[in-house]
Amino acid sequence: MARINKQLQREISLLLEQRVKNEVARNAVVTGVECARDLEFARVYFTTLDPANRESVLTELQNVKGAMRSMLGQVLKLRHIPALEFLIDRSLDYGERIDGLLHKLGLDDVKSDRSDEREICDDDDDNENDDDDDDDEDKDEENDDDESGF
């Protein structure tokens, strides 16, 4: 199903970009597709660069969904082409809202502080590995002494 979802997303995006004549519908950016197991319908999530245009783009996508389904039938090698249901993807808005709240609380710097900690830990790990290499060399020298019989 994941492969079919990705293929549908790619093909719908290409159709919007290249073959759909409706200029308002072309403003949609497809962010994901969830297809039913029986391929009866597919939910197509989209967003736009301008949040104010989302409702008008949704209306126009509803108008061209039949034509898009026909075009998908020409491109895809599926036994059944699903009916398309377009939905506005609100996850980006939600993420921006969370980022805004974190910024207000002053927690947006926590991420950069953690990356600094990782760099320090990575340096410590490198130093520990260097010590281990020295121990390995000492063991090799001991093994060479054992092989010589002395």
Side-chain angles (χ1 to χ4, degrees), residues 15-85:
L15 289 175
L16 285 171
E17 183 181 322
Q18 298 171 354
R19 295 188 58 195
V20 171
K21 305 258 188 275
N22 188 320
E23 290 298 320
V24 177
R26 293 179 85 170
N27 290 325
V29 177
V30 179
T31 58
V33 174
E34 288 180 3
C35 190
R37 287 199 177 281
D38 59 0
L39 296 179
E40 285 297 317
F41 69 93
R43 290 186 180 119
V44 180
Y45 294 95
F46 76 94
T47 190
T48 59
L49 297 177
D50 184 10
N53 293 339
R54 290 185 185 152
E55 293 299 326
S56 61
V57 170
L58 177 61
T59 303
E60 294 304 318
L61 286 171
Q62 296 296 346
N63 292 337
V64 299
K65 70 181 178 181
M68 286 188 66
R69 186 176 182 195
S70 297
M71 288 185 247
L72 283 173
Q74 296 169 1
V75 176
L76 297 176
K77 294 181 178 23
L78 293 176
R79 187 179 329 152
H80 183 71
I81 303 299
L84 302 176
E85 177 186 2

